Structure formats: C-alpha cells, structure tokens
Amino acid sequence: MNNITTLIEGINNREYLFFSLKDPIRTIYGLLDSFVLIFGVSMNLLLIYLIKTKTATGMEIYKKLLYMSCFMDLIVSFWTFIVQPIPCISHGYRTVLMNGIFRNSSQPIRYAVYLMWIQLMLIFLCTTITQYVYRYCILCKNGIISIKLFGTLIFTQITLFFAHGSILTWADYPRKEELILMEEIKTKVIKESGLTDVEFISFVNARAFRWLLHVIVMLIILPGFYIIVCICMIKIRKVVQQMNVLKLKEYSLQVSAALLFQALLPSFEAISWTIQTFVPVLITEGNTVLYTVFTDIPIHLIPALNPIGTILLVAPYRRSVFRYFGITKAQTKIIRIQTTIQTKRRRTVSIHPTYGN
C-alpha cells in the first residue's frame, strides 16, 4: 500500500513540456488527453485504412464523408492535447485554465490557442451538417450537388465561425480592470479544488451582458445544428427505405447509423457547455468548481469514440477488425443474424414484389 501511495505521489507534483501533473485535476486531464491522442489517432488511422481497403462497392460514394470525420477527429484530438482546457465555475464566474504546452505562455497567446480549440469544436459541428447535406444531395437529388446550396452553407459557416470567435473573445477575454477580482476568485478556486498554478485563460461574470449575449448566440447555433441534421436524416431515411437493391440498402443503413452516431456525440458538447453556461448564472455562491471542472471530459473523448462507432456499425470494417483479432465467435454470430435478416427480407420481397409505375 505504501508503495502505491509513493508511486501516486511520484506521478503527481511533476511538470512536463506538454502537460502538468502537479495536482489531481491536472493529472487527470494530462493522462486523459494523452490517452485520447494516442488511442484516437490510432483508431482514426485504422479507420482510414479500412475505408481505403475494405469499403464495399455500394459504399464507395460515401468514402469522402467517412474520410472527413477521420481527419476532423485527428485535428481535434491533436489540438485538444495541445490546449487541455479545464473549465472552472466559481461564485458566479466562468473561468478556464490550461494544462497544455502553452499553459505558461502569456496573453494573448494562451487565449488564441484556446479560442482555436473552441472554434474547432464549432467546425466539428459544421462538418457533421455538411456530411448530412452532401448525403442528402446524393440520395434525394439524384447525385446533383447544388453549388448554390453548398455555397450558402459554406458562406454561413464562415460567417458563423468569425462571428462566434469575435463575440466569444469580447465576452470572456480577461480584462485589466478585473485583475483584483481575478485574484480573489483564483484564491477561492485553489482552496476549493486543490488546483495549482492557477492562471485564467478566460474570465467573465456569467451574468454580465457580454456573456449573456454569447449564451443567446449558442442557444441559436446548437438547436439549429440539430434541426438541419434531423431534416436531412428524415428525408434520407425515406429514400433508403424505398431502395430495392438489398445490399445497397444495407450499406446505406450502416452509413446512416455511423453518421447518426457521429451526430449524437456533439450532444456531449451541448450538455457540457450548457452546464458551464448556466451553473454560474444560477449558482453564485458555494463550491461548484469540482462539479464543473470535469464537464469537459466527455468532449475530450469524442475523437476516440467516433472511429470506434463507425468501425462497429459498418459491417465490412467490423468484420475485418474481428477477423484480425480472431473474434470468430462474435463474427460468426453477427453473420448468422445478418443472414437471417437478409433471408427474411428476400422472402418478404418475393411475396410482395415491387412493381414499377
């Protein structure tokens, strides 16, 4: 027991180039983001290989969609490791610390690095929308990619990108006139959480007008994101259900499941940001640091979870991985289930044939 305690104490109180392990919270974030970087990069590279070599003939048109997710996951996992943001909500103030390589840099360098991470999360959402719109054009518009539609989408996303960045910077960039107040909150954060080397990247009173304006913008962006995804998903599902070629229909359903999984993961962001946004507005007294400091952890896991979902949901990729690891029993069982489903569907089609108009 003493050896374990000594080992833990040896891990803590250490300062490295890419992260700090000086306290338990920094240790958790440092180890978590290191794991996500290694595991996430490995899984995404594996998925890229599977997309390139194991994609079935009927799914080749969707390669670009799947590649897009992989590249975004690689970028997000790398930049998350660089930043390692730690949100802290204390006494009505929303603050963010950094545990990454730029943690000892001066402002505005630290804030710029953090802002790029936030904007990458926004691009992540926009990428998911683009995937659904692209697939909508492929299936519902006979493969005709509307230049006007995508031009409008790109223009909207670029405008949203710069508008959100400007509003967020105006809202929570630390101001010189708040230095005394920042020192008071810093003391409380250290006392309540045990964090060390507390230097705020961002700092704002959650009830300040500038922050509430940012909240309103986010309340428009996030529901709008899911509205567009839901509209495209409903229209795509109708087309897929009407497909007569069984194999193509199965592949389309698998891609739909993978994209839906990827679309649901950003809900982690929505939940986390909702907590970080409204907790300081509603609770202005008491120790809330430890309740909110871990709300970013699900967001950090997204680049590692995305490729796993795609691999498991798309049959050719899943079978290849199972075969490599020798999971023959699971593979055989899945094949039997799929064969049974296919047989029942063929019987249904033969009993109720579909005639052309």
Coordinates of all heavy atoms in Angstrom, one line a residue, residues 223-299:
P223 N -29.4 24.4 -31.4 CA -30.7 23.8 -31.9 C -30.7 23.8 -33.4 O -31.3 22.9 -34.0 CB -31.7 24.7 -31.3 CG -31.1 25.3 -30.1 CD -29.6 25.5 -30.4
G224 N -30.2 24.9 -34.0 CA -30.2 25.0 -35.5 C -29.4 23.8 -36.1 O -29.8 23.3 -37.1
F225 N -28.3 23.5 -35.5 CA -27.5 22.3 -35.9 C -28.3 21.1 -36.0 O -28.4 20.4 -37.0 CB -26.3 22.2 -35.0 CG -25.7 20.8 -35.0 CD1 -24.9 20.4 -36.1 CD2 -25.9 19.9 -34.0 CE1 -24.3 19.2 -36.1 CE2 -25.3 18.6 -34.0 CZ -24.5 18.3 -35.1
Y226 N -29.0 20.8 -34.9 CA -29.8 19.5 -34.8 C -31.0 19.6 -35.7 O -31.5 18.5 -36.2 CB -30.2 19.2 -33.4 CG -29.0 18.6 -32.6 CD1 -28.3 19.4 -31.6 CD2 -28.6 17.3 -32.8 CE1 -27.3 18.9 -30.9 CE2 -27.5 16.8 -32.1 CZ -26.8 17.6 -31.2 OH -25.8 17.1 -30.5
I227 N -31.6 20.8 -35.9 CA -32.8 20.9 -36.8 C -32.4 20.5 -38.2 O -33.1 19.7 -38.9 CB -33.3 22.3 -36.8 CG1 -34.0 22.6 -35.4 CG2 -34.3 22.5 -37.9 CD1 -34.5 24.0 -35.2
I228 N -31.2 21.0 -38.7 CA -30.7 20.7 -40.1 C -30.4 19.2 -40.2 O -30.8 18.6 -41.2 CB -29.5 21.5 -40.4 CG1 -29.9 23.0 -40.5 CG2 -28.9 21.1 -41.7 CD1 -28.7 23.9 -40.7
V229 N -29.8 18.7 -39.2 CA -29.4 17.2 -39.2 C -30.7 16.4 -39.2 O -30.8 15.4 -40.0 CB -28.5 16.9 -38.0 CG1 -28.4 15.4 -37.8 CG2 -27.2 17.5 -38.1
C230 N -31.7 16.7 -38.4 CA -32.9 15.9 -38.4 C -33.7 16.0 -39.7 O -34.2 15.0 -40.2 CB -33.8 16.5 -37.2 SG -33.2 16.0 -35.6
I231 N -33.8 17.2 -40.3 CA -34.5 17.3 -41.6 C -33.8 16.4 -42.6 O -34.5 15.7 -43.4 CB -34.5 18.8 -42.1 CG1 -35.4 19.6 -41.1 CG2 -35.0 18.9 -43.5 CD1 -35.3 21.1 -41.4
C232 N -32.5 16.5 -42.7 CA -31.8 15.7 -43.7 C -31.9 14.2 -43.4 O -32.1 13.4 -44.3 CB -30.3 16.1 -43.7 SG -29.9 17.7 -44.4
M233 N -31.8 13.9 -42.1 CA -31.9 12.5 -41.7 C -33.3 11.9 -42.1 O -33.4 10.7 -42.6 CB -31.7 12.3 -40.2 CG -31.6 10.9 -39.7 SD -31.1 10.8 -38.0 CE -32.5 11.8 -37.2
I234 N -34.3 12.6 -41.9 CA -35.7 12.1 -42.2 C -35.9 11.9 -43.7 O -36.4 10.9 -44.1 CB -36.8 13.1 -41.7 CG1 -36.8 13.1 -40.1 CG2 -38.1 12.7 -42.2 CD1 -37.6 14.2 -39.5
K235 N -35.4 12.9 -44.5 CA -35.5 12.7 -45.9 C -34.6 11.6 -46.5 O -35.1 10.8 -47.4 CB -35.1 14.1 -46.6 CG -36.1 15.2 -46.3 CD -35.7 16.4 -47.1 CE -36.8 17.5 -46.9 NZ -38.1 17.2 -47.5
I236 N -33.4 11.4 -45.9 CA -32.6 10.4 -46.3 C -33.2 9.0 -46.0 O -33.1 8.1 -46.8 CB -31.2 10.5 -45.7 CG1 -30.4 11.7 -46.3 CG2 -30.3 9.3 -45.9 CD1 -29.2 12.1 -45.5
R237 N -33.7 8.9 -44.8 CA -34.3 7.6 -44.4 C -35.4 7.2 -45.3 O -35.6 6.0 -45.6 CB -34.8 7.8 -42.9 CG -35.4 6.5 -42.4 CD -35.7 6.6 -40.9 NE -36.3 5.4 -40.4 CZ -35.6 4.3 -40.0 NH1 -34.3 4.3 -40.1 NH2 -36.2 3.2 -39.6
K238 N -36.2 8.1 -45.7 CA -37.4 7.8 -46.6 C -36.8 7.2 -47.9 O -37.4 6.2 -48.5 CB -38.2 9.0 -46.9 CG -39.0 9.5 -45.7 CD -39.9 10.7 -46.1 CE -40.7 11.2 -44.9 NZ -41.5 12.4 -45.3
V239 N -35.8 7.8 -48.5 CA -35.2 7.3 -49.7 C -34.6 5.9 -49.5 O -34.7 5.0 -50.4 CB -34.1 8.3 -50.3 CG1 -33.4 7.8 -51.5 CG2 -34.8 9.7 -50.6
V240 N -33.8 5.8 -48.4 CA -33.2 4.5 -48.2 C -34.2 3.4 -48.0 O -34.0 2.2 -48.5 CB -32.3 4.6 -46.9 CG1 -31.8 3.2 -46.5 CG2 -31.1 5.5 -47.2
Q241 N -35.3 3.6 -47.4 CA -36.3 2.6 -47.2 C -37.0 2.2 -48.5 O -37.5 1.1 -48.6 CB -37.4 3.1 -46.2 CG -37.0 3.3 -44.8 CD -36.5 2.1 -44.1 OE1 -37.0 1.0 -44.4 NE2 -35.6 2.2 -43.1
Q242 N -36.9 3.0 -49.5 CA -37.5 2.7 -50.8 C -36.6 2.0 -51.7 O -37.0 1.6 -52.8 CB -38.1 4.0 -51.4 CG -39.2 4.6 -50.7 CD -39.6 6.0 -51.2 OE1 -39.0 6.5 -52.2 NE2 -40.6 6.6 -50.6
M243 N -35.3 1.8 -51.3 CA -34.4 1.1 -52.2 C -34.7 -0.4 -52.4 O -35.1 -1.0 -51.4 CB -33.0 1.2 -51.6 CG -32.3 2.6 -51.6 SD -30.7 2.6 -50.9 CE -30.2 4.2 -51.2
N244 N -34.6 -0.8 -53.6 CA -34.9 -2.2 -53.9 C -33.7 -3.1 -53.9 O -33.9 -4.3 -53.7 CB -35.6 -2.3 -55.3 CG -36.9 -1.6 -55.3 OD1 -37.7 -1.6 -54.4 ND2 -37.3 -0.9 -56.5
V245 N -32.6 -2.6 -54.1 CA -31.3 -3.4 -54.0 C -31.0 -3.6 -52.6 O -30.6 -2.7 -51.9 CB -30.2 -2.7 -54.8 CG1 -28.9 -3.6 -54.8 CG2 -30.6 -2.4 -56.2
L246 N -31.1 -4.9 -52.1 CA -30.9 -5.2 -50.7 C -29.5 -4.8 -50.2 O -29.4 -4.2 -49.1 CB -31.2 -6.6 -50.5 CG -31.3 -7.1 -49.0 CD1 -32.3 -6.3 -48.3 CD2 -31.5 -8.6 -48.9
K247 N -28.5 -5.1 -50.9 CA -27.1 -4.9 -50.4 C -26.9 -3.3 -50.3 O -26.3 -2.9 -49.3 CB -26.1 -5.4 -51.4 CG -25.8 -6.9 -51.2 CD -25.0 -7.1 -49.9 CE -24.6 -8.5 -49.6 NZ -23.9 -8.7 -48.3
L248 N -27.3 -2.6 -51.3 CA -27.2 -1.2 -51.3 C -28.0 -0.6 -50.1 O -27.5 0.4 -49.5 CB -27.6 -0.6 -52.6 CG -27.5 1.0 -52.8 CD1 -26.0 1.4 -52.6 CD2 -28.0 1.4 -54.1
K249 N -29.1 -1.1 -49.9 CA -29.9 -0.6 -48.8 C -29.3 -0.9 -47.4 O -29.2 0.0 -46.6 CB -31.3 -1.3 -48.8 CG -32.3 -0.8 -47.8 CD -33.7 -1.5 -48.0 CE -34.7 -0.9 -46.9 NZ -36.0 -1.5 -47.1
E250 N -28.7 -2.1 -47.3 CA -28.0 -2.4 -46.1 C -26.8 -1.5 -45.8 O -26.6 -1.0 -44.7 CB -27.5 -3.9 -46.1 CG -28.7 -4.9 -46.0 CD -28.2 -6.3 -46.2 OE1 -27.0 -6.5 -46.4 OE2 -29.0 -7.2 -46.1
Y251 N -26.0 -1.3 -46.9 CA -24.9 -0.4 -46.7 C -25.3 1.0 -46.4 O -24.7 1.7 -45.6 CB -24.0 -0.4 -48.0 CG -23.3 -1.7 -48.3 CD1 -23.1 -2.1 -49.6 CD2 -22.9 -2.5 -47.3 CE1 -22.5 -3.3 -49.9 CE2 -22.2 -3.7 -47.6 CZ -22.0 -4.1 -48.9 OH -21.4 -5.2 -49.2
S252 N -26.4 1.5 -47.0 CA -26.9 2.8 -46.7 C -27.3 3.0 -45.3 O -27.1 4.0 -44.6 CB -28.0 3.2 -47.7 OG -27.5 3.2 -49.0
L253 N -28.0 1.9 -44.8 CA -28.4 2.0 -43.4 C -27.2 2.0 -42.4 O -27.3 2.6 -41.4 CB -29.3 0.7 -43.1 CG -30.7 0.8 -43.8 CD1 -31.5 -0.5 -43.6 CD2 -31.6 1.9 -43.2
Q254 N -26.2 1.2 -42.8 CA -25.0 1.2 -42.0 C -24.3 2.6 -41.9 O -23.9 3.1 -40.9 CB -24.0 0.2 -42.5 CG -24.5 -1.3 -42.3 CD -23.7 -2.3 -43.0 OE1 -22.6 -2.0 -43.5 NE2 -24.2 -3.5 -43.2
V255 N -24.2 3.2 -43.1 CA -23.6 4.6 -43.1 C -24.5 5.5 -42.3 O -24.0 6.4 -41.6 CB -23.5 5.0 -44.6 CG1 -23.0 6.5 -44.6 CG2 -22.4 4.2 -45.3
S256 N -25.8 5.4 -42.5 CA -26.8 6.2 -41.7 C -26.5 6.1 -40.2 O -26.5 7.1 -39.5 CB -28.2 5.9 -42.1 OG -28.5 6.2 -43.4
A257 N -26.4 4.8 -39.8 CA -26.1 4.6 -38.4 C -24.8 5.2 -37.9 O -24.8 5.8 -36.8 CB -26.1 3.1 -38.1
A258 N -23.8 5.1 -38.7 CA -22.5 5.7 -38.4 C -22.6 7.2 -38.3 O -22.0 7.8 -37.3 CB -21.4 5.2 -39.4
L259 N -23.2 7.8 -39.3 CA -23.4 9.3 -39.2 C -24.2 9.8 -38.1 O -24.0 10.8 -37.5 CB -23.9 9.8 -40.6 CG -23.0 9.6 -41.8 CD1 -23.7 10.1 -43.1 CD2 -21.7 10.3 -41.6
L260 N -25.3 9.0 -37.8 CA -26.1 9.3 -36.6 C -25.3 9.3 -35.3 O -25.5 10.2 -34.5 CB -27.3 8.4 -36.6 CG -28.3 8.6 -35.4 CD1 -28.9 10.0 -35.5 CD2 -29.4 7.6 -35.4
F261 N -24.5 8.3 -35.2 CA -23.6 8.1 -34.0 C -22.7 9.4 -33.9 O -22.6 9.9 -32.8 CB -22.8 6.9 -34.1 CG -21.9 6.6 -32.9 CD1 -22.4 6.2 -31.7 CD2 -20.5 6.9 -33.1 CE1 -21.5 6.0 -30.7 CE2 -19.7 6.7 -32.0 CZ -20.2 6.2 -30.8
Q262 N -22.1 9.8 -35.0 CA -21.3 10.9 -35.0 C -22.0 12.2 -34.8 O -21.5 13.1 -34.2 CB -20.5 11.0 -36.4 CG -19.6 9.9 -36.6 CD -18.9 9.9 -38.0 OE1 -19.1 10.9 -38.7 NE2 -18.3 8.9 -38.4
A263 N -23.3 12.3 -35.2 CA -24.1 13.5 -34.9 C -24.5 13.6 -33.5 O -24.7 14.7 -32.9 CB -25.3 13.5 -35.8
L264 N -24.7 12.4 -32.8 CA -25.1 12.4 -31.4 C -24.0 12.8 -30.5 O -24.2 13.3 -29.4 CB -25.7 11.0 -31.1 CG -27.1 10.7 -31.7 CD1 -27.5 9.3 -31.3 CD2 -28.1 11.7 -31.3
L265 N -22.8 12.4 -30.9 CA -21.6 12.7 -30.0 C -21.5 14.2 -29.6 O -21.1 14.5 -28.5 CB -20.3 12.2 -30.6 CG -20.1 10.7 -30.5 CD1 -18.8 10.3 -31.1 CD2 -20.1 10.2 -29.0
P266 N -21.7 15.1 -30.6 CA -21.6 16.5 -30.2 C -22.6 16.9 -29.2 O -22.5 18.0 -28.6 CB -21.9 17.3 -31.5 CG -21.4 16.3 -32.6 CD -21.8 14.9 -32.1
S267 N -23.6 16.1 -28.9 CA -24.5 16.4 -27.8 C -23.8 16.5 -26.5 O -24.2 17.1 -25.5 CB -25.7 15.4 -27.7 OG -25.2 14.1 -27.5
F268 N -22.6 15.7 -26.4 CA -21.8 15.8 -25.2 C -21.3 17.3 -25.0 O -21.3 17.8 -23.9 CB -20.6 14.9 -25.3 CG -20.9 13.5 -25.2 CD1 -19.9 12.5 -25.6 CD2 -22.1 13.0 -24.8 CE1 -20.2 11.2 -25.5 CE2 -22.3 11.7 -24.6 CZ -21.4 10.7 -25.0
E269 N -21.0 17.9 -26.2 CA -20.6 19.3 -26.1 C -21.7 20.2 -25.6 O -21.5 21.1 -24.8 CB -20.1 19.8 -27.5 CG -18.9 19.1 -28.1 CD -18.6 19.5 -29.5 OE1 -18.7 20.8 -29.7 OE2 -18.2 18.7 -30.4
A270 N -22.9 19.9 -26.2 CA -24.0 20.7 -25.8 C -24.3 20.6 -24.3 O -24.6 21.6 -23.7 CB -25.3 20.3 -26.7
I271 N -24.3 19.4 -23.8 CA -24.6 19.2 -22.4 C -23.5 19.9 -21.5 O -23.8 20.6 -20.6 CB -24.7 17.7 -22.1 CG1 -25.9 17.1 -22.8 CG2 -24.8 17.5 -20.6 CD1 -25.9 15.6 -22.7
S272 N -22.3 19.7 -21.9 CA -21.2 20.2 -21.1 C -21.2 21.7 -21.1 O -21.1 22.4 -20.1 CB -19.8 19.7 -21.7 OG -19.7 18.3 -21.6
W273 N -21.4 22.3 -22.3 CA -21.4 23.8 -22.4 C -22.7 24.4 -21.7 O -22.6 25.5 -21.2 CB -21.4 24.2 -23.9 CG -20.0 24.0 -24.5 CD1 -18.8 23.8 -23.8 CD2 -19.7 24.0 -25.8 NE1 -17.8 23.7 -24.6 CE2 -18.2 23.8 -25.9 CE3 -20.4 24.1 -27.0 CZ2 -17.6 23.7 -27.1 CZ3 -19.7 24.1 -28.2 CH2 -18.3 23.9 -28.3
T274 N -23.8 23.6 -21.7 CA -25.0 24.0 -21.0 C -24.7 24.1 -19.5 O -25.0 25.1 -18.8 CB -26.1 23.1 -21.3 OG1 -26.4 23.1 -22.7 CG2 -27.4 23.5 -20.5
I275 N -24.0 23.1 -19.0 CA -23.7 23.1 -17.6 C -22.7 24.3 -17.3 O -22.9 25.0 -16.3 CB -23.0 21.8 -17.2 CG1 -24.0 20.6 -17.3 CG2 -22.4 21.9 -15.7 CD1 -23.4 19.3 -17.1
Q276 N -21.7 24.4 -18.1 CA -20.7 25.5 -17.9 C -21.3 26.9 -18.0 O -20.9 27.9 -17.4 CB -19.6 25.4 -18.8 CG -18.7 24.1 -18.7 CD -17.7 23.9 -19.8 OE1 -17.2 24.9 -20.3 NE2 -17.3 22.7 -20.0
T277 N -22.4 27.0 -18.8 CA -23.0 28.3 -19.1 C -24.0 28.7 -18.0 O -24.0 29.8 -17.5 CB -23.7 28.3 -20.4 OG1 -22.8 28.0 -21.5 CG2 -24.4 29.6 -20.7
F278 N -24.9 27.7 -17.6 CA -26.0 28.1 -16.7 C -25.7 27.9 -15.2 O -26.3 28.5 -14.4 CB -27.2 27.3 -17.1 CG -27.8 27.8 -18.4 CD1 -27.6 27.0 -19.6 CD2 -28.5 28.9 -18.5 CE1 -28.2 27.5 -20.8 CE2 -29.1 29.4 -19.7 CZ -28.9 28.6 -20.8
V279 N -24.7 27.0 -14.9 CA -24.4 26.9 -13.5 C -23.9 28.2 -12.8 O -24.4 28.6 -11.8 CB -23.3 25.8 -13.3 CG1 -22.7 25.8 -11.9 CG2 -24.0 24.4 -13.5
P280 N -23.0 28.9 -13.5 CA -22.6 30.2 -12.8 C -23.7 31.3 -12.9 O -23.6 32.2 -12.0 CB -21.4 30.6 -13.7 CG -21.6 30.0 -15.0 CD -22.2 28.6 -14.7
V281 N -24.6 31.1 -13.8 CA -25.7 32.1 -13.8 C -26.7 31.9 -12.7 O -27.2 32.8 -12.0 CB -26.5 32.0 -15.2 CG1 -27.7 32.9 -15.2 CG2 -25.5 32.4 -16.3
L282 N -26.9 30.6 -12.4 CA -27.9 30.2 -11.4 C -27.4 30.1 -10.0 O -28.0 30.3 -9.0 CB -28.6 28.9 -11.8 CG -29.3 28.9 -13.2 CD1 -29.8 27.5 -13.5 CD2 -30.5 29.9 -13.2
I283 N -26.1 29.7 -9.9 CA -25.5 29.5 -8.6 C -24.3 30.4 -8.5 O -23.3 30.2 -9.1 CB -25.0 28.0 -8.4 CG1 -26.2 27.0 -8.7 CG2 -24.4 27.8 -7.1 CD1 -25.8 25.6 -8.6
T284 N -24.4 31.4 -7.6 CA -23.4 32.4 -7.5 C -22.6 32.3 -6.2 O -21.6 33.0 -5.9 CB -24.0 33.8 -7.5 OG1 -25.0 33.9 -6.5 CG2 -24.6 34.1 -8.9
E285 N -23.0 31.3 -5.3 CA -22.4 31.1 -4.1 C -22.1 29.6 -3.9 O -22.7 28.8 -4.5 CB -23.2 31.6 -2.9 CG -23.5 33.1 -2.9 CD -22.2 33.9 -2.7 OE1 -21.2 33.4 -2.2 OE2 -22.2 35.1 -3.2
G286 N -21.1 29.3 -3.1 CA -20.8 27.9 -2.8 C -19.7 27.3 -3.7 O -19.3 27.9 -4.7
N287 N -19.3 26.1 -3.3 CA -18.3 25.4 -4.1 C -18.8 24.7 -5.2 O -19.4 23.6 -5.1 CB -17.5 24.5 -3.1 CG -16.3 23.8 -3.7 OD1 -16.1 24.0 -4.9 ND2 -15.6 23.1 -2.9
T288 N -18.7 25.2 -6.4 CA -19.1 24.5 -7.6 C -18.0 24.1 -8.6 O -18.3 23.5 -9.6 CB -20.1 25.4 -8.4 OG1 -19.4 26.6 -8.8 CG2 -21.3 25.7 -7.6
V289 N -16.8 24.3 -8.1 CA -15.6 24.0 -9.0 C -15.6 22.5 -9.4 O -15.5 22.2 -10.5 CB -14.3 24.5 -8.4 CG1 -13.1 24.1 -9.2 CG2 -14.3 26.0 -8.2
L290 N -15.6 21.7 -8.3 CA -15.4 20.3 -8.6 C -16.6 19.6 -9.4 O -16.5 18.6 -10.0 CB -15.3 19.5 -7.2 CG -14.0 19.8 -6.5 CD1 -13.9 19.1 -5.2 CD2 -12.7 19.5 -7.3
Y291 N -17.8 20.3 -9.3 CA -18.9 19.8 -10.1 C -18.8 20.1 -11.6 O -19.4 19.5 -12.4 CB -20.2 20.4 -9.5 CG -20.5 19.9 -8.1 CD1 -20.3 20.8 -7.1 CD2 -21.0 18.7 -7.9 CE1 -20.6 20.4 -5.8 CE2 -21.3 18.2 -6.6 CZ -21.0 19.1 -5.5 OH -21.3 18.7 -4.3
T292 N -18.1 21.2 -11.9 CA -18.0 21.6 -13.3 C -16.6 21.4 -13.9 O -16.5 21.4 -15.2 CB -18.3 23.1 -13.4 OG1 -17.4 23.8 -12.5 CG2 -19.7 23.4 -12.9
V293 N -15.6 21.1 -13.1 CA -14.3 21.0 -13.7 C -14.1 19.8 -14.6 O -13.3 19.7 -15.5 CB -13.2 21.0 -12.6 CG1 -13.2 19.6 -11.9 CG2 -11.8 21.3 -13.1
F294 N -15.0 18.8 -14.4 CA -14.9 17.6 -15.2 C -15.9 17.5 -16.3 O -16.1 16.5 -17.0 CB -15.1 16.4 -14.3 CG -14.1 16.2 -13.2 CD1 -14.3 16.4 -11.9 CD2 -12.8 15.9 -13.6 CE1 -13.4 16.2 -10.9 CE2 -11.8 15.8 -12.6 CZ -12.1 15.9 -11.3
T295 N -16.6 18.6 -16.6 CA -17.7 18.6 -17.6 C -17.1 18.6 -19.0 O -17.8 18.2 -20.0 CB -18.6 19.9 -17.5 OG1 -17.8 21.1 -17.5 CG2 -19.4 19.8 -16.2
D296 N -15.8 18.9 -19.2 CA -15.2 18.9 -20.5 C -14.7 17.5 -20.9 O -14.4 17.2 -22.0 CB -14.1 19.9 -20.6 CG -14.4 21.1 -21.3 OD1 -15.7 21.4 -21.5 OD2 -13.6 21.9 -21.7
I297 N -14.6 16.6 -19.9 CA -14.1 15.3 -20.2 C -14.8 14.5 -21.3 O -14.1 13.9 -22.2 CB -14.0 14.4 -18.9 CG1 -12.9 15.0 -17.9 CG2 -13.7 13.0 -19.2 CD1 -12.8 14.3 -16.6
P298 N -16.1 14.5 -21.3 CA -16.8 13.8 -22.5 C -16.4 14.4 -23.8 O -16.3 13.7 -24.8 CB -18.3 14.0 -22.1 CG -18.4 14.2 -20.7 CD -17.1 14.9 -20.3
I299 N -16.2 15.7 -23.9 CA -15.8 16.4 -25.1 C -14.5 15.9 -25.6 O -14.2 15.6 -26.7 CB -15.8 17.9 -25.0 CG1 -17.2 18.4 -24.6 CG2 -15.3 18.6 -26.2 CD1 -17.3 19.9 -24.3

